[in-house]
Amino acid sequence: MFILLLFALLMIGTSRLTGMGRAPVAIALAAVGWVVYVAWGADFVAVSHPADYQQYLGGDSATSETVKQFIQDNIFIVYVGHAASLALYLLATGTIVKLLEQNGCLDFIVYLCRTASARQMLWRIVTVSFFISANLDNLTTTLLMLTVLRQLTDGRRERWLFGTAIVVATCCGGCFTVIGDPVGLLLWGQGAVTATAFSTRLALPALSACAIVTLMLGRNLPHRIVGSSQVLPYRGIDTRLRPWQRFGMLVTALGGLWFVPTFHNITHLSPFLGALCVLAVLWVINEAFSTPYTPAGSQLSTFGSPLSALTSQAQLLYVLGWLLAMGVMKEAAVFDNLGHWLARLHMDGIWSIGLLSAILSSVTDSMAIAVCDISLHDVLSHSDLQQMAVNSSLWGSGSYMSQFLTNGDYWPVVALCTTMGGLLLPIGNMSGLALMATEQLHPWWYIRHCTPAVALATLVAFAILFFENFFF
């Protein structure tokens, strides 16, 4: 199992060289891993779930069929539920963005960011990207802002600099909220963090890193910039919506997404259900606003031009596949053995893991490494901490294990380290790959012009988060 994991990470890291997408690698790892788990299911179940399996048998004798059925009903379906809930949230938020974009609700971004001063335009683009990505996932926001960018300037070099700033801003903005990044969603869904505490810890490091990169990139821009010759796209009858209607839809969408954490705290239901409720309300409003402008007998084509197939298909499949793969790795005790190995090497400290994760994220994928880090340790309760403190010969003292409580120090370190590490190279996250694909950006240009700025921002963000540990 460990060899399969290493091979998958190698394939992800070399995806640009081999031409193999990351989604098929994750799906293949999940499928092969669960098949191997089922093939030796009796051994795995006997070690990990002996009491539950005996209760499931109810006094009957164990057979290969009962083992397979137990795995399906009690193990596999649990991980399917966790993976599907995260994918459904991304699907709901992506559809919300498509609905807003198709109705022209986001056209104001072009007018807000347009200016003759290159550095003013850079700061406007970064600010908008940062705060939009705090509500939506990174990739969706990146693709949206890259579309906006094409309507602001035709200069290739300028678009590369602006595009890099967009990627950094969306990743940093998504990093400090639980609804802005799949990693934050995963931590929040597993009970590792609460929304307010997570944002409080990561807001200042994320803002600082984003500001440092923006300042350094701005030095490479000219004073004046030539505007783009492109015009806003025609979307059909939906463009007849009045400005107050578009603004109302935008406020409904953003306000609803900000209400999702409250919805989760009140109902304890999965966040994707709250996002679907927001989508349903927004859809009804869209139908009510658009019906007067729709000819009789025709149908609205709100989703006729999706924002990107990369968002709606590849990202969802990648998230599903990788979470299922990490589930089987955890069930096969791969991460338990890895944790013991790191402990023997005295590399099990949260900052050692964070540094290693940042390096691995830069050459593979930040989300993949983050999920591995999250799977490395379970979220502990105070009762678990008391029991582990009695036998701490392997895992360390109770004060060390307290870092894995809800809102413990380990979880924001994982989120920040993998996010910033994934920005060191353009292949380290899905947003960087989207920039390379849409703008034909060369990796060596990114390394020369952007990696030093990201490295400095990473060190500053790490230092801020380290000193925050003394106050939280």
Side-chain angles (χ1 to χ4, degrees), residues 75-126:
I75 301 177
F76 179 68
I77 196 65
V78 174
Y79 291 101
V80 170
H82 291 320
S85 64
L86 182 54
L88 284 171
Y89 185 91
L90 296 176
L91 178 62
T93 55
T95 307
I96 289 172
V97 173
K98 293 175 188 177
L99 189 60
L100 294 175
E101 191 270 343
Q102 188 71 20
N103 283 279
C105 301
L106 300 174
D107 289 351
F108 80 96
I109 297 176
V110 178
Y111 302 108
L112 180 64
C113 297
R114 180 173 287 150
T115 178
S117 172
R119 295 185 181 179
Q120 286 186 18
M121 182 183 294
L122 175 65
W123 280 101
R124 292 181 185 184
I125 290 175
V126 165

Side-chain angles (χ1 to χ4, degrees), residues 455-467:
L456 176 61
T458 301
L459 293 176
V460 173
F462 286 3
I464 293 174
L465 185 62
F466 177 79
F467 286 109

Side-chain angles (χ1 to χ4, degrees), residues 181-246:
D181 185 86
V183 175
L185 278 169
L186 184 61
L187 289 171
W188 185 36
Q190 292 185 355
V193 298
T194 58
T196 302
F198 186 75
S199 296
T200 302
R201 292 292 300 274
L202 290 179
L204 184 57
L207 278 168
S208 302
C210 184
I212 290 173
V213 176
T214 305
L215 283 171
M216 296 186 70
L217 291 179
R219 298 168 59 186
N220 298 321
L221 286 171
H223 293 291
R224 309 290 289 181
I225 192 166
V226 179
S228 173
S229 59
Q230 296 187 22
V231 296
L232 293 176
Y234 176 70
R235 284 169 295 272
I237 55 176
D238 289 336
T239 56
R240 296 183 181 179
L241 296 184
R242 298 178 180 178
W244 71 267
Q245 293 174 323
R246 299 181 190 182

